[in-house]
């Protein structure tokens, strides 16, 4: 990782294959206070609106953002592997995330959020950020993944769309975590043009919640 303020892409070998980290260094004058490592979901990469918004907003607040691409994405595959393989890739790149010597918050969206939750305690994550946590498959609330969220063992923030078919905020079980709702947003934090806030406002809600939460952590 560079010590300057320019983005740098780093390839990291893991047991699941080469992974990739795009570093977005803190740009504030005081320097970085922590690293937020965020992984993508099973249907896309780090170009999603929520991850791009965090990478743009957080460096000015003393947060170095590490956008993590799992080995299957780096290899150009279209379908994500089993959760066990995703966890293997995440574990393999974790040492590279700790190189700056700062507390590391593990995060991700959708499947990436599940990975962060499942591995937080064993890897020594400072906290977990779960974006669009897939609480259950659409239309199947009985197949809950709430145990993954409740088992992080560290401070956890969930940012969830109000109309996310993978789990609306009201469906989440009680537990020791914080939850911020982005009104009207779907699983990708897209909002309807007529009845919802603008995309800019939706991302403002998301980044403001994450910025405040991270500031409280340190």
């Amino acid at each position: 990782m560079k010590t300057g303020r320019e983005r740098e892409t780093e390839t990291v070998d893991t047991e699941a294959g080469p992974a990739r980290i795009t570093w977005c260094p803190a740009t504030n004058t005081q320097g970085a206070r922590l690293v937020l490592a965020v992984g993508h979901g099973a249907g896309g990469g780090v170009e999603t609106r929520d991850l791009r918004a965090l990478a743009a907003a957080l460096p000015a607040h003393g947060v170095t953002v590490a956008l993590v691409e799992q080995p299957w994405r780096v290899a150009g595959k279209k379908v994500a592997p089993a959760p066990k393989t995703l966890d293997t890739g995440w574990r393999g790149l974790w040492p590279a995330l700790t190189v700056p010597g700062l507390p590391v918050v593990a995060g991700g969206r959708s499947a990436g959020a599940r990975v962060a939750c499942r591995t937080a305690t064993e890897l020594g994550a400072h906290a977990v950020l779960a974006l669009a946590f897939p609480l259950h498959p659409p239309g199947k609330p009985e197949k809950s993944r709430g145990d993954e969220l409740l088992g992080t063992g560290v401070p956890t923030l969930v940012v969830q769309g109000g109309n996310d078919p993978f789990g609306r905020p009201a469906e989440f079980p009680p537990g020791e975590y914080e939850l911020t709702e982005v009104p009207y947003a779907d699983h990708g934090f897209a909002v309807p043009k007529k009845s919802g806030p603008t995309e800019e406002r939706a991302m403002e809600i998301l980044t403001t919640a994450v910025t405040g939460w991270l500031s409280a952590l340190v």
Side-chain angles (χ1 to χ4, degrees), residues 42-160:
V46 295
E47 70 280 355
T48 54
R49 59 173 59 84
D50 49 349
L51 300 187
R52 286 189 290 108
L54 291 176
L58 292 179
H61 297 276
V63 178
T64 289
V65 177
L67 300 173
V68 175
E69 294 174 84
Q70 282 270 2
W72 68 274
R73 284 286 299 185
V74 176
K77 297 180 180 179
K78 302 296 184 181
V79 180
K84 182 178 180 180
T85 303
L86 296 178
D87 291 354
T88 297
W90 187 255
R91 290 188 187 98
L93 59 84
W94 188 261
L97 298 171
T98 64
V99 167
L102 299 168
V104 181
V105 175
R109 64 162 285 103
S110 195
R114 295 183 64 193
V115 172
C117 288
R118 288 193 299 261
T119 60
T121 300
E122 66 172 284
L123 295 177
H126 191 65
V128 167
L129 172 63
L131 305 171
F133 185 84
L135 184 63
H136 57 71
K140 298 180 179 180
E142 71 279 2
K143 295 186 177 181
S144 176
R145 297 154 179 157
D147 58 334
E148 294 180 353
L149 177 63
L150 298 177
T152 65
V154 294
T156 301
L157 173 65
V158 178
V159 183
Q160 200 76 5

Side-chain angles (χ1 to χ4, degrees), residues 19 29-30 33 40 44 52 63 70 81 106 112 132 157 170 172 215:
T29 56
Q30 294 81 18
R33 298 174 295 145
H40 53 78
R52 286 189 290 108
V63 178
Q70 282 270 2
L157 173 65
F172 276 71
S215 295

